[in-house]
Amino acid sequence: MKKYQNLDALLKGEPKAAALFAEIPQYARDQIMTRSQHVNTLDGLEGYVNNLLRGDD
């Protein structure tokens, strides 16, 4: 799995990451963006999303 410099680079370089990020609620995007330097892989992004959306069902 490729590691990117930050969230912005990840979203530009990984279409799956960009699609996932676009699908989540705005509050989750805002939370993830506050930690953008630490979100640099697709797996990392998926982990943040799963943690943030846990209980939203």
Side-chain angles (χ1 to χ4, degrees), residues 8-27:
D8 189 49
L10 171 65
L11 296 177
K12 288 179 182 171
E14 288 283 343
K16 280 183 163 181
L20 173 62
F21 195 72
E23 291 175 6
I24 62 175
Q26 185 63 47
Y27 79 88

Side-chain angles (χ1 to χ4, degrees), residues 4-11 21 29-41 48:
Y4 293 85
Q5 188 171 3
N6 56 34
L7 177 63
D8 189 49
L10 171 65
L11 296 177
F21 195 72
R29 279 185 244 149
D30 292 343
Q31 286 287 331
I32 292 169
M33 286 190 294
T34 66
R35 301 174 92 26
S36 66
Q37 294 299 341
H38 304 286
V39 183
N40 52 19
T41 65
Y48 272 110

